[in-house]
Amino acid sequence: MYADRVLSGMRPTGSLHLGHYHGVLKNWTKLQHEYECLFFVADWHALTTHYDNPLGIEQATWEMVIDWLAAGVDPSKATLFIQSQVIEHAELHLLLSMMTPLGWLERVPTYKDQQEKLTEKDLSTYGFLGYPLLQSADILIYRANQVPVGEDQVPHIEFSREIARRFNHLYGKEPGYEEKAEAAVKKLGGKKAKLYQELRTRYQQEGVEEALESAHALLGETQNLSLGDKERLYGYLEGGGKMILTEPQALLTAASRMPGLDGQKMSKSYNNTISLREEPDAVSKKIRTMPTDPARVRRTDAGSPDRCPVWQLHQVYSGDDVRGWVMQGCTTAGIGCIECKQPVIDAVLKELAPIQERARAYTEEPDTVKNIIDDGCEKARDLARETMRDVREAMGLSYG
Ligand code: TRP
Ligand code: SF4
């Protein structure tokens, strides 16, 4: 029950580029071997900013799913689905909205940032303010405890933790909770019970995170407790009631910042991308016409890789030998820029070849893609329904 479950979502932006590949997808393909993984298309999130023009979202969703698969996300390992096809997300979002203080939402840094950045849009909407809460529902409904996201999303994960904590605090208390929890502690048996109490005190009075972790480990290996008692004891550690919703954590990986063709971060809005399905000729041309060190006007001028965006691509794609060759050749005018770019062109084409091969296959078989998503949605729905049963019960909405 407390094993690691990974969940992540991406807004449907259509076909993806090398920035997505190096920044996100490569990581997903690794995680799928290490954890139970759920990856979904956050199409409702796209509506928060594109409510005035929703018609492209469906097409963008399918393009993006094809790119996930092409990049090596494996549907036999990870569950792939579309947010709006698991409507339970909306129910949880609604129920959580009842107990979400407005101030918490207004304080999320992306709220004001995005409003200031996207001035061409009117983002003074209820949906946009609620963006982080919808994201919390996405995460909490699967009791996912690890959420791989970029730096910019960390406040949203923290927000989700606070929502989970508040929910558990408000609704996790059953009648006679303290007595039941104390009785469950006794059932642990002498030594373990004592250790549990010590760890609980250390965590609650001194805030020692390791004490909490040790206590979780202790409970994890305990076998003589009922599921209900175990849940009580997990909740009791943190002072609240039962843990109905799991507090998630951001899973940050050493961010590989993918430089774009102009040396800025690769991003559609900078118009400096190479898309995963870019034709090989277009890839070569884009790299051949990339700007280089502005000081190298003529072939005979020596250059400085530190001032050149091509050098940044060598950091991603070249080994020590090639980099040494560039450094030496550039600073002595021993090589020309076209020559310098060739190993990057070769490496990008080599990286893209298998991705494009798979993309072609999936594009030719849209039914296969639809089936993968149908299966994924079904699996996701089963998990979401389980959580919603507990949530409704905790909030007195079972009507059973
Ligand atoms: N907000 C995320 C982004 O813009 C996308 C997202 C929506 C998400 N729901 C999520 C990411 C749940 C992780 C978990 O990138
Ligand atoms: Fe840039 Fe290479 Fe030209 Fe030097 S030789 S300026 S590193 S492209």
Side-chain angles (χ1 to χ4, degrees):
M1 166 146 208
Y2 290 92
D4 283 320
R5 181 179 283 163
V6 165
L7 169 114
S8 200
M10 218 190 266
R11 296 159 53 113
T13 49
S15 63
L16 303 181
H17 53 64
L18 282 172
H20 299 109
Y21 181 68
H22 285 272
V24 183
L25 294 175
K26 254 181 20 189
N27 189 34
W28 285 12
T29 61
K30 190 165 133 277
L31 291 171
Q32 69 188 354
H33 299 290
E34 299 165 0
Y35 299 98
E36 178 188 357
C37 286
L38 296 148
F39 301 124
F40 74 98
V41 182
D43 57 344
W44 279 338
H45 278 91
L47 278 176
T48 62
T49 48
H50 290 67
Y51 58 85
D52 54 348
N53 179 23
L55 294 186
I57 294 177
E58 186 176 347
Q59 177 69 17
T61 293
W62 292 119
E63 295 296 327
M64 189 166 82
V65 170
I66 288 177
D67 280 348
W68 289 359
L69 295 166
V73 178
D74 179 349
S76 72
K77 297 246 154 31
T79 301
L80 309 182
F81 66 98
I82 299 171
Q83 181 185 34
S84 67
Q85 303 307 297
V86 185
I87 52 157
E88 284 80 0
H89 289 229
E91 186 188 2
L92 184 57
H93 178 222
L94 175 88
L95 293 178
L96 294 176
S97 78
M98 304 301 169
M99 43 137 276
T100 302
L102 218 41
W104 288 18
L105 284 167
E106 286 161 347
R107 273 197 299 275
V108 175
T110 46
Y111 178 58
K112 286 228 159 56
D113 288 357
Q114 292 282 92
Q115 271 193 333
E116 280 162 20
K117 235 166 95 188
L118 303 173
T119 42
E120 74 280 13
K121 296 199 164 120
D122 179 5
L123 294 180
S124 311
T125 57
Y126 180 50
F128 186 69
L129 177 65
Y131 186 108
L133 189 63
L134 181 55
Q135 183 162 353
S136 302
D138 298 336
I139 300 167
L140 300 177
I141 206 163
Y142 299 106
R143 295 181 160 126
N145 53 350
Q146 303 285 352
V147 186
V149 285
E151 215 53 79
D152 63 314
Q153 294 285 309
V154 171
H156 291 179
I157 309 306
E158 270 160 19
F159 177 84
S160 305
R161 296 166 64 79
E162 276 159 22
I163 293 293
R165 207 172 297 151
R166 183 164 164 84
F167 184 95
N168 291 335
H169 181 72
L170 283 170
Y171 309 114
K173 290 224 168 65
E174 43 186 348
Y177 172 72
E178 305 269 326
E179 292 75 23
K180 284 184 185 161
E182 284 297 335
V185 176
K186 288 219 178 72
K187 286 184 209 159
L188 281 171
K191 249 168 87 181
K192 275 190 167 179
K194 190 154 167 270
L195 180 57
Y196 175 92
Q197 290 290 25
E198 277 168 18
L199 293 169
R200 177 168 180 264
T201 309
R202 271 182 58 213
Y203 177 65
Q204 291 198 355
Q205 295 183 1
E206 297 156 48
V208 183
E209 285 285 339
E210 295 87 70
L212 182 63
E213 280 164 30
S214 308
H216 279 190
L218 175 79
L219 292 175
E221 65 200 29
T222 298
Q223 278 161 9
N224 62 338
L225 283 184
S226 70
L227 208 59
D229 274 342
K230 232 182 204 184
E231 275 189 25
R232 256 170 224 121
L233 289 187
Y234 275 111
Y236 197 44
L237 283 170
E238 294 174 72
K242 276 208 294 190
M243 291 249 288
I244 300 167
L245 298 177
T246 303
E247 289 182 31
Q249 280 192 336
L251 185 60
L252 290 168
T253 33
S256 48
R257 175 183 171 277
M258 180 68 193
L261 293 164
D262 55 0
Q264 299 187 81
K265 179 180 154 72
M266 188 177 280
S267 159
K268 222 174 183 169
S269 48
Y270 297 146
N271 200 13
N272 63 359
T273 63
I274 294 176
S275 82
L276 293 183
R277 285 187 258 167
E278 193 100 37
E279 294 286 342
D281 284 348
V283 173
S284 305
K285 185 161 170 225
K286 277 188 172 176
I287 299 174
R288 258 192 279 111
T289 53
M290 268 179 78
T292 61
D293 175 3
R296 259 203 111 175
V297 184
R298 281 174 294 266
R299 165 70 178 77
T300 48
D301 296 334
S304 161
D306 293 336
R307 286 196 296 260
C308 177
V310 179
W311 177 241
Q312 293 191 41
L313 289 181
H314 277 294
Q315 310 291 320
V316 178
Y317 287 102
S318 302
D320 288 343
D321 47 344
V322 174
R323 282 196 235 167
W325 169 78
V326 172
M327 190 46 94
Q328 160 76 19
C330 179
T331 51
T332 58
I335 58 170
C337 291
I338 292 288
E339 221 176 318
C340 175
K341 288 170 170 176
Q342 195 55 47
V344 174
I345 295 176
D346 295 341
V348 172
L349 291 177
K350 187 164 167 224
E351 174 170 72
L352 289 180
I355 296 177
Q356 299 195 344
E357 180 71 42
R358 280 191 293 263
R360 234 182 327 271
Y362 283 115
T363 310
E364 281 163 16
E365 287 188 42
D367 285 349
T368 306
V369 180
K370 287 220 159 62
N371 287 337
I372 289 170
I373 290 294
D374 281 350
D375 285 353
C377 289
E378 205 154 308
K379 276 192 213 146
R381 244 176 251 131
D382 284 344
L383 296 172
R385 283 186 185 140
E386 241 174 73
T387 307
M388 287 315 296
R389 253 200 308 275
D390 295 347
V391 166
R392 286 188 210 115
E393 190 186 301
M395 293 181 77
L397 295 164
S398 298
Y399 293 95

